[in-house]
PDB file of all heavy atoms in Angstrom:
ATOM      1  N   TYR A   1       0.836  -1.192   0.018  1.00 97.00           N
ATOM      2  CA  TYR A   1      -0.015   0.008  -0.012  1.00 97.00           C
ATOM      3  C   TYR A   1       0.901   1.244   0.003  1.00 97.00           C
ATOM      4  O   TYR A   1       0.663   2.176  -0.785  1.00 97.00           O
ATOM      5  CB  TYR A   1      -0.945  -0.041   1.236  1.00 97.00           C
ATOM      6  CG  TYR A   1      -1.568   1.265   1.536  1.00 97.00           C
ATOM      7  CD1 TYR A   1      -2.750   1.683   0.871  1.00 97.00           C
ATOM      8  CD2 TYR A   1      -1.011   2.155   2.509  1.00 97.00           C
ATOM      9  CE1 TYR A   1      -3.341   2.941   1.115  1.00 97.00           C
ATOM     10  CE2 TYR A   1      -1.644   3.370   2.784  1.00 97.00           C
ATOM     11  CZ  TYR A   1      -2.797   3.747   2.064  1.00 97.00           C
ATOM     12  OH  TYR A   1      -3.388   4.939   2.375  1.00 97.00           O
ATOM     13  N   TRP A   2       1.866   1.294   0.901  1.00 98.00           N
ATOM     14  CA  TRP A   2       2.712   2.494   1.001  1.00 98.00           C
ATOM     15  C   TRP A   2       3.554   2.749  -0.239  1.00 98.00           C
ATOM     16  O   TRP A   2       3.656   3.893  -0.700  1.00 98.00           O
ATOM     17  CB  TRP A   2       3.638   2.373   2.249  1.00 98.00           C
ATOM     18  CG  TRP A   2       4.564   3.591   2.316  1.00 98.00           C
ATOM     19  CD1 TRP A   2       4.188   4.845   2.793  1.00 98.00           C
ATOM     20  CD2 TRP A   2       5.905   3.678   1.962  1.00 98.00           C
ATOM     21  NE1 TRP A   2       5.281   5.660   2.703  1.00 98.00           N
ATOM     22  CE2 TRP A   2       6.348   4.999   2.217  1.00 98.00           C
ATOM     23  CE3 TRP A   2       6.816   2.761   1.406  1.00 98.00           C
ATOM     24  CZ2 TRP A   2       7.661   5.435   1.938  1.00 98.00           C
ATOM     25  CZ3 TRP A   2       8.125   3.213   1.153  1.00 98.00           C
ATOM     26  CH2 TRP A   2       8.530   4.481   1.440  1.00 98.00           C
ATOM     27  N   ILE A   3       4.106   1.679  -0.797  1.00 98.00           N
ATOM     28  CA  ILE A   3       4.896   1.825  -2.039  1.00 98.00           C
ATOM     29  C   ILE A   3       4.052   2.315  -3.176  1.00 98.00           C
ATOM     30  O   ILE A   3       4.412   3.260  -3.880  1.00 98.00           O
ATOM     31  CB  ILE A   3       5.581   0.482  -2.397  1.00 98.00           C
ATOM     32  CG1 ILE A   3       6.635   0.110  -1.388  1.00 98.00           C
ATOM     33  CG2 ILE A   3       6.175   0.539  -3.814  1.00 98.00           C
ATOM     34  CD1 ILE A   3       7.198  -1.305  -1.530  1.00 98.00           C
ATOM     35  N   ASN A   4       2.844   1.763  -3.351  1.00 97.00           N
ATOM     36  CA  ASN A   4       1.948   2.186  -4.436  1.00 97.00           C
ATOM     37  C   ASN A   4       1.504   3.612  -4.227  1.00 97.00           C
ATOM     38  O   ASN A   4       1.521   4.438  -5.207  1.00 97.00           O
ATOM     39  CB  ASN A   4       0.739   1.283  -4.506  1.00 97.00           C
ATOM     40  CG  ASN A   4       1.107  -0.129  -4.961  1.00 97.00           C
ATOM     41  OD1 ASN A   4       2.112  -0.341  -5.614  1.00 97.00           O
ATOM     42  ND2 ASN A   4       0.280  -1.146  -4.619  1.00 97.00           N
ATOM     43  N   LYS A   5       1.168   4.024  -3.070  1.00 95.00           N
ATOM     44  CA  LYS A   5       0.721   5.422  -2.805  1.00 95.00           C
ATOM     45  C   LYS A   5       1.899   6.391  -3.010  1.00 95.00           C
ATOM     46  O   LYS A   5       1.722   7.492  -3.592  1.00 95.00           O
ATOM     47  CB  LYS A   5       0.265   5.558  -1.307  1.00 95.00           C
ATOM     48  CG  LYS A   5      -1.155   5.115  -1.133  1.00 95.00           C
ATOM     49  CD  LYS A   5      -2.131   6.174  -1.637  1.00 95.00           C
ATOM     50  CE  LYS A   5      -3.555   5.836  -1.171  1.00 95.00           C
ATOM     51  NZ  LYS A   5      -4.516   6.858  -1.635  1.00 95.00           N
ATOM     52  N   THR A   6       3.078   6.030  -2.595  1.00 96.00           N
ATOM     53  CA  THR A   6       4.240   6.916  -2.755  1.00 96.00           C
ATOM     54  C   THR A   6       4.634   7.107  -4.144  1.00 96.00           C
ATOM     55  O   THR A   6       4.922   8.243  -4.601  1.00 96.00           O
ATOM     56  CB  THR A   6       5.425   6.336  -1.941  1.00 96.00           C
ATOM     57  OG1 THR A   6       5.062   6.231  -0.556  1.00 96.00           O
ATOM     58  CG2 THR A   6       6.663   7.218  -2.074  1.00 96.00           C
ATOM     59  N   VAL A   7       4.576   6.050  -4.915  1.00 95.00           N
ATOM     60  CA  VAL A   7       4.934   6.130  -6.352  1.00 95.00           C
ATOM     61  C   VAL A   7       3.920   6.983  -7.124  1.00 95.00           C
ATOM     62  O   VAL A   7       4.273   7.836  -7.947  1.00 95.00           O
ATOM     63  CB  VAL A   7       5.067   4.717  -6.964  1.00 95.00           C
ATOM     64  CG1 VAL A   7       5.108   4.815  -8.485  1.00 95.00           C
ATOM     65  CG2 VAL A   7       6.265   4.009  -6.406  1.00 95.00           C
ATOM     66  N   ARG A   8       2.632   6.810  -6.797  1.00 94.00           N
ATOM     67  CA  ARG A   8       1.555   7.556  -7.503  1.00 94.00           C
ATOM     68  C   ARG A   8       1.360   8.987  -7.033  1.00 94.00           C
ATOM     69  O   ARG A   8       1.180   9.931  -7.847  1.00 94.00           O
ATOM     70  CB  ARG A   8       0.262   6.807  -7.371  1.00 94.00           C
ATOM     71  CG  ARG A   8       0.215   5.417  -8.089  1.00 94.00           C
ATOM     72  CD  ARG A   8      -1.144   4.821  -7.949  1.00 94.00           C
ATOM     73  NE  ARG A   8      -2.148   5.598  -8.677  1.00 94.00           N
ATOM     74  CZ  ARG A   8      -3.463   5.444  -8.568  1.00 94.00           C
ATOM     75  NH1 ARG A   8      -3.894   4.525  -7.724  1.00 94.00           N
ATOM     76  NH2 ARG A   8      -4.307   6.158  -9.209  1.00 94.00           N
ATOM     77  N   PHE A   9       1.443   9.217  -5.720  1.00 94.00           N
ATOM     78  CA  PHE A   9       1.095  10.498  -5.181  1.00 94.00           C
ATOM     79  C   PHE A   9       2.145  11.266  -4.365  1.00 94.00           C
ATOM     80  O   PHE A   9       1.906  12.321  -3.846  1.00 94.00           O
ATOM     81  CB  PHE A   9      -0.233  10.341  -4.279  1.00 94.00           C
ATOM     82  CG  PHE A   9      -1.327   9.736  -5.054  1.00 94.00           C
ATOM     83  CD1 PHE A   9      -1.781   8.462  -4.694  1.00 94.00           C
ATOM     84  CD2 PHE A   9      -1.936  10.380  -6.060  1.00 94.00           C
ATOM     85  CE1 PHE A   9      -2.846   7.860  -5.364  1.00 94.00           C
ATOM     86  CE2 PHE A   9      -3.038   9.759  -6.808  1.00 94.00           C
ATOM     87  CZ  PHE A   9      -3.447   8.532  -6.420  1.00 94.00           C
ATOM     88  N   GLY A  10       3.292  10.597  -4.196  1.00 94.00           N
ATOM     89  CA  GLY A  10       4.348  11.224  -3.329  1.00 94.00           C
ATOM     90  C   GLY A  10       4.280  10.879  -1.864  1.00 94.00           C
ATOM     91  O   GLY A  10       3.224  10.362  -1.413  1.00 94.00           O
ATOM     92  N   GLN A  11       5.257  11.251  -1.119  1.00 96.00           N
ATOM     93  CA  GLN A  11       5.323  10.984   0.327  1.00 96.00           C
ATOM     94  C   GLN A  11       4.519  12.036   1.075  1.00 96.00           C
ATOM     95  O   GLN A  11       4.323  13.161   0.618  1.00 96.00           O
ATOM     96  CB  GLN A  11       6.768  10.960   0.807  1.00 96.00           C
ATOM     97  CG  GLN A  11       7.563   9.747   0.502  1.00 96.00           C
ATOM     98  CD  GLN A  11       8.948   9.783   1.096  1.00 96.00           C
ATOM     99  OE1 GLN A  11       9.896  10.087   0.340  1.00 96.00           O
ATOM    100  NE2 GLN A  11       9.073   9.511   2.350  1.00 96.00           N
ATOM    101  N   ILE A  12       4.074  11.627   2.292  1.00 95.00           N
ATOM    102  CA  ILE A  12       3.386  12.607   3.145  1.00 95.00           C
ATOM    103  C   ILE A  12       4.481  13.403   3.932  1.00 95.00           C
ATOM    104  O   ILE A  12       4.500  14.612   3.929  1.00 95.00           O
ATOM    105  CB  ILE A  12       2.520  11.856   4.146  1.00 95.00           C
ATOM    106  CG1 ILE A  12       1.299  11.237   3.418  1.00 95.00           C
ATOM    107  CG2 ILE A  12       2.065  12.790   5.260  1.00 95.00           C
ATOM    108  CD1 ILE A  12       0.419  10.352   4.279  1.00 95.00           C
ATOM    109  N   GLU A  13       5.445  12.722   4.545  1.00 96.00           N
ATOM    110  CA  GLU A  13       6.556  13.349   5.216  1.00 96.00           C
ATOM    111  C   GLU A  13       7.711  13.499   4.268  1.00 96.00           C
ATOM    112  O   GLU A  13       8.779  12.910   4.354  1.00 96.00           O
ATOM    113  CB  GLU A  13       6.996  12.486   6.446  1.00 96.00           C
ATOM    114  CG  GLU A  13       5.955  12.400   7.491  1.00 96.00           C
ATOM    115  CD  GLU A  13       6.307  11.602   8.724  1.00 96.00           C
ATOM    116  OE1 GLU A  13       6.514  10.379   8.521  1.00 96.00           O
ATOM    117  OE2 GLU A  13       6.457  12.141   9.774  1.00 96.00           O
ATOM    118  N   PHE A  14       7.446  14.371   3.272  1.00 96.00           N
ATOM    119  CA  PHE A  14       8.328  14.502   2.094  1.00 96.00           C
ATOM    120  C   PHE A  14       9.544  15.341   2.441  1.00 96.00           C
ATOM    121  O   PHE A  14       9.486  16.350   3.148  1.00 96.00           O
ATOM    122  CB  PHE A  14       7.603  15.008   0.892  1.00 96.00           C
ATOM    123  CG  PHE A  14       6.908  16.373   1.137  1.00 96.00           C
ATOM    124  CD1 PHE A  14       7.602  17.543   0.972  1.00 96.00           C
ATOM    125  CD2 PHE A  14       5.602  16.376   1.546  1.00 96.00           C
ATOM    126  CE1 PHE A  14       6.980  18.781   1.185  1.00 96.00           C
ATOM    127  CE2 PHE A  14       4.960  17.615   1.761  1.00 96.00           C
ATOM    128  CZ  PHE A  14       5.672  18.799   1.592  1.00 96.00           C
ATOM    129  N   ASP A  15      10.695  14.946   1.869  1.00 96.00           N
ATOM    130  CA  ASP A  15      11.887  15.776   1.911  1.00 96.00           C
ATOM    131  C   ASP A  15      12.235  16.383   3.291  1.00 96.00           C
ATOM    132  O   ASP A  15      12.609  17.566   3.408  1.00 96.00           O
ATOM    133  CB  ASP A  15      11.784  16.895   0.918  1.00 96.00           C
ATOM    134  CG  ASP A  15      11.543  16.379  -0.551  1.00 96.00           C
ATOM    135  OD1 ASP A  15      11.983  15.290  -0.815  1.00 96.00           O
ATOM    136  OD2 ASP A  15      10.813  17.031  -1.272  1.00 96.00           O
ATOM    137  N   SER A  16      12.128  15.530   4.295  1.00 96.00           N
ATOM    138  CA  SER A  16      12.339  16.038   5.688  1.00 96.00           C
ATOM    139  C   SER A  16      13.836  15.797   6.039  1.00 96.00           C
ATOM    140  O   SER A  16      14.310  14.643   6.005  1.00 96.00           O
ATOM    141  CB  SER A  16      11.468  15.276   6.683  1.00 96.00           C
ATOM    142  OG  SER A  16      11.871  15.530   7.976  1.00 96.00           O
ATOM    143  N   PRO A  17      14.526  16.859   6.355  1.00 96.00           N
ATOM    144  CA  PRO A  17      15.936  16.703   6.763  1.00 96.00           C
ATOM    145  C   PRO A  17      16.113  15.805   7.996  1.00 96.00           C
ATOM    146  O   PRO A  17      17.219  15.221   8.158  1.00 96.00           O
ATOM    147  CB  PRO A  17      16.389  18.103   7.096  1.00 96.00           C
ATOM    148  CG  PRO A  17      15.470  19.029   6.314  1.00 96.00           C
ATOM    149  CD  PRO A  17      14.119  18.277   6.358  1.00 96.00           C
ATOM    150  N   ARG A  18      15.110  15.678   8.820  1.00 95.00           N
ATOM    151  CA  ARG A  18      15.206  14.760   9.918  1.00 95.00           C
ATOM    152  C   ARG A  18      14.658  13.356   9.633  1.00 95.00           C
ATOM    153  O   ARG A  18      15.360  12.356   9.820  1.00 95.00           O
ATOM    154  CB  ARG A  18      14.487  15.352  11.150  1.00 95.00           C
ATOM    155  CG  ARG A  18      14.538  14.424  12.355  1.00 95.00           C
ATOM    156  CD  ARG A  18      13.984  15.027  13.552  1.00 95.00           C
ATOM    157  NE  ARG A  18      14.306  14.208  14.754  1.00 95.00           N
ATOM    158  CZ  ARG A  18      13.965  14.475  16.015  1.00 95.00           C
ATOM    159  NH1 ARG A  18      13.233  15.523  16.257  1.00 95.00           N
ATOM    160  NH2 ARG A  18      14.315  13.653  16.986  1.00 95.00           N
ATOM    161  N   TYR A  19      13.421  13.323   9.155  1.00 96.00           N
ATOM    162  CA  TYR A  19      12.772  12.009   9.057  1.00 96.00           C
ATOM    163  C   TYR A  19      13.127  11.208   7.818  1.00 96.00           C
ATOM    164  O   TYR A  19      12.776  10.007   7.766  1.00 96.00           O
ATOM    165  CB  TYR A  19      11.224  12.224   9.182  1.00 96.00           C
ATOM    166  CG  TYR A  19      10.958  12.616  10.600  1.00 96.00           C
ATOM    167  CD1 TYR A  19      10.681  13.946  10.908  1.00 96.00           C
ATOM    168  CD2 TYR A  19      11.025  11.677  11.654  1.00 96.00           C
ATOM    169  CE1 TYR A  19      10.469  14.352  12.256  1.00 96.00           C
ATOM    170  CE2 TYR A  19      10.771  12.093  12.960  1.00 96.00           C
ATOM    171  CZ  TYR A  19      10.513  13.415  13.252  1.00 96.00           C
ATOM    172  OH  TYR A  19      10.341  13.770  14.570  1.00 96.00           O
ATOM    173  N   LEU A  20      13.796  11.792   6.849  1.00 97.00           N
ATOM    174  CA  LEU A  20      14.302  10.921   5.715  1.00 97.00           C
ATOM    175  C   LEU A  20      15.219   9.860   6.267  1.00 97.00           C
ATOM    176  O   LEU A  20      15.266   8.762   5.723  1.00 97.00           O
ATOM    177  CB  LEU A  20      15.083  11.868   4.697  1.00 97.00           C
ATOM    178  CG  LEU A  20      15.584  11.143   3.497  1.00 97.00           C
ATOM    179  CD1 LEU A  20      14.450  10.625   2.637  1.00 97.00           C
ATOM    180  CD2 LEU A  20      16.519  12.073   2.658  1.00 97.00           C
ATOM    181  N   TYR A  21      15.957  10.187   7.287  1.00 97.00           N
ATOM    182  CA  TYR A  21      16.819   9.204   7.941  1.00 97.00           C
ATOM    183  C   TYR A  21      16.070   7.937   8.393  1.00 97.00           C
ATOM    184  O   TYR A  21      16.557   6.815   8.269  1.00 97.00           O
ATOM    185  CB  TYR A  21      17.387   9.907   9.229  1.00 97.00           C
ATOM    186  CG  TYR A  21      18.424   9.085  10.041  1.00 97.00           C
ATOM    187  CD1 TYR A  21      19.717   9.089   9.690  1.00 97.00           C
ATOM    188  CD2 TYR A  21      17.997   8.408  11.187  1.00 97.00           C
ATOM    189  CE1 TYR A  21      20.609   8.328  10.521  1.00 97.00           C
ATOM    190  CE2 TYR A  21      18.855   7.697  11.977  1.00 97.00           C
ATOM    191  CZ  TYR A  21      20.201   7.682  11.633  1.00 97.00           C
ATOM    192  OH  TYR A  21      21.123   6.993  12.441  1.00 97.00           O
ATOM    193  N   TYR A  22      14.768   8.157   8.796  1.00 97.00           N
ATOM    194  CA  TYR A  22      13.961   7.028   9.304  1.00 97.00           C
ATOM    195  C   TYR A  22      13.079   6.428   8.204  1.00 97.00           C
ATOM    196  O   TYR A  22      12.287   5.506   8.466  1.00 97.00           O
ATOM    197  CB  TYR A  22      13.034   7.519  10.477  1.00 97.00           C
ATOM    198  CG  TYR A  22      13.900   7.984  11.598  1.00 97.00           C
ATOM    199  CD1 TYR A  22      13.995   9.342  11.962  1.00 97.00           C
ATOM    200  CD2 TYR A  22      14.630   7.100  12.367  1.00 97.00           C
ATOM    201  CE1 TYR A  22      14.814   9.764  12.964  1.00 97.00           C
ATOM    202  CE2 TYR A  22      15.447   7.499  13.451  1.00 97.00           C
ATOM    203  CZ  TYR A  22      15.495   8.844  13.713  1.00 97.00           C
ATOM    204  OH  TYR A  22      16.299   9.301  14.778  1.00 97.00           O
ATOM    205  N   PHE A  23      13.231   6.887   6.973  1.00 98.00           N
ATOM    206  CA  PHE A  23      12.749   6.159   5.791  1.00 98.00           C
ATOM    207  C   PHE A  23      13.888   5.355   5.166  1.00 98.00           C
ATOM    208  O   PHE A  23      13.704   4.171   4.838  1.00 98.00           O
ATOM    209  CB  PHE A  23      12.196   7.147   4.760  1.00 98.00           C
ATOM    210  CG  PHE A  23      10.874   7.743   5.079  1.00 98.00           C
ATOM    211  CD1 PHE A  23      10.703   9.002   5.681  1.00 98.00           C
ATOM    212  CD2 PHE A  23       9.684   6.963   4.804  1.00 98.00           C
ATOM    213  CE1 PHE A  23       9.532   9.484   5.978  1.00 98.00           C
ATOM    214  CE2 PHE A  23       8.437   7.516   5.156  1.00 98.00           C
ATOM    215  CZ  PHE A  23       8.342   8.795   5.744  1.00 98.00           C
ATOM    216  N   ILE A  24      15.006   5.942   5.050  1.00 98.00           N
ATOM    217  CA  ILE A  24      16.153   5.310   4.363  1.00 98.00           C
ATOM    218  C   ILE A  24      16.575   4.012   5.197  1.00 98.00           C
ATOM    219  O   ILE A  24      16.798   2.948   4.597  1.00 98.00           O
ATOM    220  CB  ILE A  24      17.390   6.226   4.209  1.00 98.00           C
ATOM    221  CG1 ILE A  24      16.992   7.346   3.183  1.00 98.00           C
ATOM    222  CG2 ILE A  24      18.588   5.455   3.743  1.00 98.00           C
ATOM    223  CD1 ILE A  24      18.093   8.423   3.024  1.00 98.00           C
ATOM    224  N   THR A  25      16.735   4.136   6.488  1.00 98.00           N
ATOM    225  CA  THR A  25      17.255   3.055   7.296  1.00 98.00           C
ATOM    226  C   THR A  25      16.340   1.737   7.099  1.00 98.00           C
ATOM    227  O   THR A  25      16.877   0.690   6.795  1.00 98.00           O
ATOM    228  CB  THR A  25      17.410   3.392   8.723  1.00 98.00           C
ATOM    229  OG1 THR A  25      18.156   4.574   8.842  1.00 98.00           O
ATOM    230  CG2 THR A  25      18.083   2.285   9.516  1.00 98.00           C
ATOM    231  N   PRO A  26      15.009   1.808   7.390  1.00 98.00           N
ATOM    232  CA  PRO A  26      14.229   0.601   7.254  1.00 98.00           C
ATOM    233  C   PRO A  26      14.188   0.124   5.813  1.00 98.00           C
ATOM    234  O   PRO A  26      14.094  -1.132   5.542  1.00 98.00           O
ATOM    235  CB  PRO A  26      12.820   0.984   7.741  1.00 98.00           C
ATOM    236  CG  PRO A  26      12.824   2.478   7.670  1.00 98.00           C
ATOM    237  CD  PRO A  26      14.177   2.964   7.931  1.00 98.00           C
ATOM    238  N   LEU A  27      14.246   1.003   4.835  1.00 98.00           N
ATOM    239  CA  LEU A  27      14.251   0.572   3.428  1.00 98.00           C
ATOM    240  C   LEU A  27      15.563  -0.188   3.086  1.00 98.00           C
ATOM    241  O   LEU A  27      15.587  -1.201   2.304  1.00 98.00           O
ATOM    242  CB  LEU A  27      14.125   1.769   2.460  1.00 98.00           C
ATOM    243  CG  LEU A  27      12.655   2.344   2.363  1.00 98.00           C
ATOM    244  CD1 LEU A  27      12.636   3.596   1.562  1.00 98.00           C
ATOM    245  CD2 LEU A  27      11.701   1.281   1.849  1.00 98.00           C
ATOM    246  N   ILE A  28      16.677   0.242   3.619  1.00 98.00           N
ATOM    247  CA  ILE A  28      17.910  -0.467   3.413  1.00 98.00           C
ATOM    248  C   ILE A  28      17.845  -1.878   4.014  1.00 98.00           C
ATOM    249  O   ILE A  28      18.199  -2.864   3.396  1.00 98.00           O
ATOM    250  CB  ILE A  28      19.112   0.270   4.097  1.00 98.00           C
ATOM    251  CG1 ILE A  28      19.473   1.469   3.187  1.00 98.00           C
ATOM    252  CG2 ILE A  28      20.364  -0.626   4.264  1.00 98.00           C
ATOM    253  CD1 ILE A  28      20.508   2.409   3.780  1.00 98.00           C
TER     254      ILE A  28
END
């Protein structure tokens, strides 16, 4: 669900200097 929503409509917590860290780590 999250991958499909993000690809189609973009992130909610987009381009966050802080929280991008907490997207990249679990994705790795």
Side-chain angles (χ1 to χ4, degrees):
Y1 166 82
W2 179 76
I3 291 170
N4 292 337
K5 278 283 191 179
T6 299
V7 170
R8 292 184 65 192
F9 304 111
Q11 285 181 260
I12 292 173
E13 294 178 296
F14 56 87
D15 304 327
S16 170
R18 180 172 191 180
Y19 291 100
L20 182 64
Y21 181 87
Y22 298 108
F23 285 98
I24 292 175
T25 307
L27 285 174
I28 284 173

